[in-house]
Amino acid sequence: MAASTFPLKDELDIVIPTIRNLDFLEMWRPFFQPYHLIIVQDGDPSRNIKVPDGFDYELYNRNDINKILGPKASCISFKDSACRCFGYMVSKKKYIFTIDDDCFVAKDPTGKDIDALRQHISNLLNPSTPYFFNTLYDPFTDGADFVRGYPFSLREGVPTAVSHGLWLNIPDYDAPTQLVKPRERNTRYVEAVMTIPKGILFPMCGMNLAFDRSLIGPAMYFGLMGDGQPIGRYDDMWAGWCVKVICDHLGFGIKTGLPYIWHSKASNPFVNLKKEYKGIFWQEEMIPFFQDAVLPKECTTVQSCYKELAKQVKDKLGKIDPYFVKLADAMVTWIDAWDELNPTAKAPNSK
């Protein structure tokens, strides 16, 4: 097939965290097969994960992570899907698409299978408009444009760093909402992509997400979660808050909306509550922290922005709980490990 059938075929990796056989890839075969997969195996490294024939992939388990990163492996979460960010670090591609193994191909209202990856790529390759809201949503979508009154000086937009997709069927709810609405399913298909405005935070979900690794990769750290940590299920949101502050500072955009995937199964709300319990309290202080965070103009690279944010996390959130001191140290370790594995990543910005 022609390269245009599979855009960015040689410039994009698909990262999948898993603890099970990847049978779900069969339904994604028409869309994923030509792309390179990076599979990050969580849990027991001696378990043999089966991948359907015909896929080009590399697989890393905990032993591989320890071997590659040495002592710095302490920054990669264990027994939590946050381990996926190791895949971002070892990738050598410009773009990343990450998806969970319980996410299936969704159908649009006409019954046609949705090529989620193609929509993500379209989102990333077209500019974002974070400085002025366009009421027809993404002006770069076919059939849309900038509306009357939109400043011409802002119509060029800014580079898009992140494309945040949504889910049909099981919504991405927290445990209290799951418990109150156990049967709720998302059946609403909204044909819209929009840029999240500058200065506005959002809860980023990592199960259907794409980003420009060359623009924002070092900030896509999913934190310390899972085994040995007092909190879980905040990995992607932590990354999203850090990424948004840094994108706003460096002049990049984030889009949310299309594409949809079909989220096939609900996780156990009681298990989730145990993981989220502290986070539900802490987020009331974490979010104002990110809303107020200011990065100095001397921070001109993602790495320098991220290390500055880590310092502020330690100084301000460290007062809430010692966990945040540990997390801030892990953020610095993550950047050091990233630079070690990606020695040329800083070159374009170096003086």
Side-chain angles (χ1 to χ4, degrees), residues 166-220:
L166 299 174
W167 348 268
L168 291 170
N169 195 36
I170 307 290
D172 187 27
Y173 286 163
D174 54 35
T177 311
Q178 276 184 297
L179 287 164
V180 174
K181 296 178 163 183
R183 292 183 189 84
E184 184 151 293
R185 298 295 179 263
N186 182 34
T187 57
R188 294 171 61 231
Y189 180 95
V190 181
E191 184 92 29
V193 176
M194 61 191 81
T195 298
I196 299 169
K198 184 179 180 184
I200 301 296
L201 296 172
F202 75 112
M204 189 174 84
C205 170
M207 73 171 104
N208 172 23
L209 180 74
F211 60 93
D212 186 327
R213 185 177 174 278
S214 68
L215 279 185
I216 202 66
M220 271 291 177

Side-chain angles (χ1 to χ4, degrees), residues 96-133:
I96 296 283
F97 169 53
T98 185
I99 185 170
D100 284 6
D101 59 16
D102 62 350
C103 292
F104 300 166
V105 178
K107 293 188 184 296
D108 69 16
T110 70
K112 186 182 168 197
D113 283 351
I114 296 167
D115 184 346
L117 182 51
R118 182 178 289 271
Q119 177 67 50
H120 275 302
I121 289 169
S122 172
N123 292 348
L124 289 171
L125 293 184
N126 286 300
S128 291
T129 52
Y131 304 125
F132 201 89
F133 189 78

Side-chain angles (χ1 to χ4, degrees), residues 249-250 294-301 304-305:
H249 175 74
L250 294 177
V294 176
L295 299 171
K297 62 179 186 302
E298 296 77 43
C299 292
T300 57
T301 66
S304 61
C305 288

Side-chain angles (χ1 to χ4, degrees), residues 224-296:
L224 280 180
M225 302 281 151
D227 199 46
Q229 308 304 336
I231 185 175
R233 284 173 56 84
Y234 275 81
D235 52 329
D236 42 8
M237 292 184 292
W238 179 264
W241 297 328
C242 293
V243 162
K244 187 60 166 67
V245 168
I246 293 171
C247 282
D248 285 352
H249 175 74
L250 294 177
F252 303 144
I254 296 177
K255 292 181 180 179
T256 187
L258 301 179
Y260 284 92
I261 50 81
W262 179 269
H263 187 207
S264 65
K265 70 175 197 290
S267 45
N268 184 315
F270 296 100
V271 173
N272 289 349
L273 187 59
K274 203 172 171 184
K275 291 177 180 178
E276 292 171 3
Y277 180 74
K278 287 182 185 293
I280 289 167
F281 292 99
W282 289 347
Q283 72 185 12
E284 300 304 320
E285 298 189 61
M286 284 192 280
I287 290 165
F289 162 78
F290 283 107
Q291 286 172 327
D292 295 340
V294 176
L295 299 171

Side-chain angles (χ1 to χ4, degrees), residues 7 11 39 52 56 61 70 90 128 179 184 223 230 249 255 257 263 295 315 320 342 346:
E11 296 178 72
I39 298 159
D56 170 39
N61 62 31
V90 294
S128 291
L179 287 164
E184 184 151 293
H249 175 74
K255 292 181 180 179
H263 187 207
L295 299 171
D315 292 346
I320 300 171
N342 301 277
K346 294 195 291 186

